[in-house]
Amino acid sequence: MIITSKDNEQIKHIRKLKDKKFRDKQGEFFVEGMKLVREAIDEKADIRTIVICDECAETGRFEPKDLYEIAKHNCLYVSEKVFNHICDVQNPQGILAVIGKMQNTKKIEYNEDLIVILDGVQDPGNMGTILRTLDSVGLSQVIVSDICVDVYNPKVVRATMGAVFRINIIESEDLTETIKDLKKNKIEIVVTALDTNKSIYDVEYKKMAIIIGNEVNGVSPELVKLADKKAKIPMFGRTESLNAAVAASVVLYEYVRQKVTKSSSKETK
């Protein structure tokens, strides 16, 4: 059966998932596009429903192997008009999946050399890019404050390019207490700031956590006071700051550089 009415109860339910309160209440979110649906299948996510635009399927837009995997799940076929009504992008690919939220744990893994803490990051693109970058460097967790943008926001999910399925997102209701807990576990706290002579290249990325602040206001003053060190990204032009995603990426790839350097040194001995 092909659903052609926007008033269908299942369609109303999916459309409401654009709202954070409804996502939280239902414990669900959705991903759009074949790449993210494929990532959800590969990562064995809790796929509740896969919605397919019937006209798109008929045009042969999807690979046979993808259709084979999709058919193993609960599928809902809808008209193009209905699909466009529920999707969140301007040029939809004709497929989306409703997924149960990952069972992220609040437990911090203290053995990672680097832990990233996000303090009030608001831009969905920045949040998604940071999660994707964390995944790219092999880190598996991030701590986010309760005033950060929702990680299950459709724009965030798209920007993660699938990393949302692999990163343990630890939502902290009180970052001050979380940071105190990290310090008790011998984790050095570093904050990105401009008022210091120490750069991110002077820091040893081992048993440390770095705080990335809000796009406008930076790191909260109370968290700055808790930091063991301040570090800045050196800049030689007239621009004084970078957006949160770029700043996080620069820091994370200095972490990678140090790991590669250490690994190369061991191999030459």
Side-chain angles (χ1 to χ4, degrees), residues 148-249:
C148 282
V149 62
D150 180 24
V151 294
Y152 295 107
N153 176 305
K155 292 179 181 178
V156 174
V157 172
R158 283 199 301 277
T160 71
M161 296 296 285
V164 70
F165 299 120
R166 294 181 287 275
I167 300 293
N168 181 33
I169 298 152
I170 302 163
E171 297 177 319
S172 171
E173 296 178 0
D174 188 336
L175 268 188
T176 297
E177 290 304 312
T178 300
I179 289 169
K180 287 179 180 178
D181 179 63
L182 287 167
K183 290 169 77 88
K184 285 178 184 177
N185 283 274
K186 311 298 183 185
I187 305 295
E188 183 179 47
I189 307 299
V190 179
V191 63
T192 50
L194 296 175
D195 58 336
T196 178
N197 293 322
K198 186 179 289 292
S199 87
I200 60 163
Y201 306 115
D202 298 321
V203 177
E204 183 181 8
Y205 290 73
K206 186 175 182 180
K207 295 287 285 182
M208 66 163 278
I210 191 156
I211 308 173
I212 305 294
N214 173 271
E215 290 88 345
V216 176
N217 301 313
V219 179
S220 307
E222 57 269 27
L223 300 186
V224 173
K225 291 178 182 177
L226 288 173
D228 299 302
K229 291 179 182 176
K230 294 180 182 179
K232 65 181 179 182
I233 298 173
M235 284 177 277
F236 301 112
R238 296 179 65 181
T239 296
E240 294 183 349
S241 63
L242 302 171
N243 76 22
V246 174
S249 297

Side-chain angles (χ1 to χ4, degrees), residues 10-34:
Q10 288 176 284
I11 299 305
K12 287 181 178 179
H13 178 98
I14 296 167
R15 185 170 170 79
K16 285 181 182 178
L17 290 174
K18 294 181 181 182
D19 179 70
K20 182 183 185 304
K21 289 183 179 179
F22 193 73
R23 288 196 298 272
D24 290 343
K25 179 182 177 182
Q26 298 298 318
E28 295 177 336
F29 67 107
F30 66 82
V31 301
E32 298 182 67
M34 193 64 245

